[in-house]
Amino acid sequence: MDQDGRGAGEDGRGERGAGERLLVVDDEPTVRELLAATLRFAGFRVTSAATGAEAVQAARARRPDLILLDVMLPDLDGFQVVRRLRELDRPPVPVLFLTARDSPADKVTGLTLGGDDYVTKPFDLEELLARIRAVLRRTGRPHAPALVVGDLEVDVEGHQVARGGVPVRLSPTEFRLLSYLASQAGRVVSKTRIIEDVWQYDFAGDTSIVDTYVSYLRRKLEASGPRLIHTVHGVGYVLREPR
């Protein structure tokens, strides 16, 4: 995971996730953690599970936009997981199977059950990202409206930001932070909550990264306009329309 969000690709160009919720299900910790980190870096929001039972529970509780599902799990196999989810899913959550089982019969079974794609291990991460984006496009998730606060417009899915009609170029992490603050416009959000929702790791006592990225955003957004992101001392930040 890119803890600071800078370095390679920091200008935000290229196709990235738009905050879609992905559920990664794999019983191998190394594979699960690698996938989760890669997908978060690509802009997705990720939850993970290690067993079929955990996958069913997480899918029903969080309603992901896509499930990356290993077939060979220690309790329920991936096919059984999909059968259980299809009993209640309306509409069904898209599923991309990840497995070392590459026989034609297994592929037919997975796709017949309603899987949207079938990727065999070992796989190339760039190809997997392309497959994920293709499934998300095919499944027709409605386009989310832009977030508008005063003269600021944040197109979450198009990964575009403009202020007063002038485009603003942001790094991936800057964009995630701004999108989050814009979605909470008018509400004071604590630094701890921002760490949990934007960086998606457990709070470890140091919130300085939030202050750093707010400073980056202010420089880019407020160079030619009034302040949008305000500090609430001892609490956190609030993004609101200039008064």
Side-chain angles (χ1 to χ4, degrees), residues 1 45 62 176-181 183-185 187-211 214 234-238:
M1 176 180 174
R45 305 186 67 178
R62 297 177 178 270
R176 290 198 299 272
L177 176 57
L178 180 62
S179 299
Y180 179 73
L181 292 174
S183 73
Q184 305 293 318
R187 301 176 184 173
V188 179
V189 187
S190 72
K191 295 179 185 180
T192 304
R193 181 68 182 273
I194 293 171
I195 286 283
E196 293 172 349
D197 289 349
V198 176
W199 276 265
Q200 297 184 336
Y201 55 73
D202 293 336
F203 175 59
D206 182 7
T207 58
S208 61
I209 191 171
V210 179
D211 302 322
V214 167
V235 183
Y237 294 99
V238 57

Side-chain angles (χ1 to χ4, degrees), residues 17 22 35 78 80 98 115 124 132 162 204 232:
L22 305 186
L35 281 174
Q80 291 173 303
L98 298 174
D124 178 80
I132 289 169
V232 179

Side-chain angles (χ1 to χ4, degrees), residues 53-149:
E54 288 179 6
V56 172
Q57 182 179 12
R60 289 176 175 172
R62 297 177 178 270
R63 189 66 188 178
D65 296 301
L66 174 66
I67 302 174
L68 280 73
L69 181 60
D70 188 17
V71 173
M72 300 173 68
L73 296 170
D75 50 353
L76 309 173
D77 68 27
F79 301 145
Q80 291 173 303
V81 170
V82 170
R83 288 189 183 99
R84 291 199 181 185
L85 290 176
R86 294 298 187 250
E87 292 172 2
L88 296 179
D89 285 350
R90 296 293 186 273
V93 176
V95 173
L96 189 157
F97 285 108
L98 298 174
T99 182
R101 293 165 56 171
D102 60 355
S103 73
D106 285 329
K107 292 181 181 180
V108 170
T109 299
L111 297 175
T112 301
L113 285 173
D116 296 270
D117 205 345
Y118 196 104
V119 176
T120 55
K121 298 178 180 179
F123 48 78
D124 178 80
L125 288 172
E126 286 300 320
E127 179 186 354
L128 179 62
L129 285 169
R131 297 277 197 104
I132 289 169
R133 292 170 180 137
V135 170
L136 289 170
R137 285 194 297 268
R138 287 201 306 269
T139 52
R141 197 170 70 110
H143 185 80
L147 300 170
V148 179
V149 183

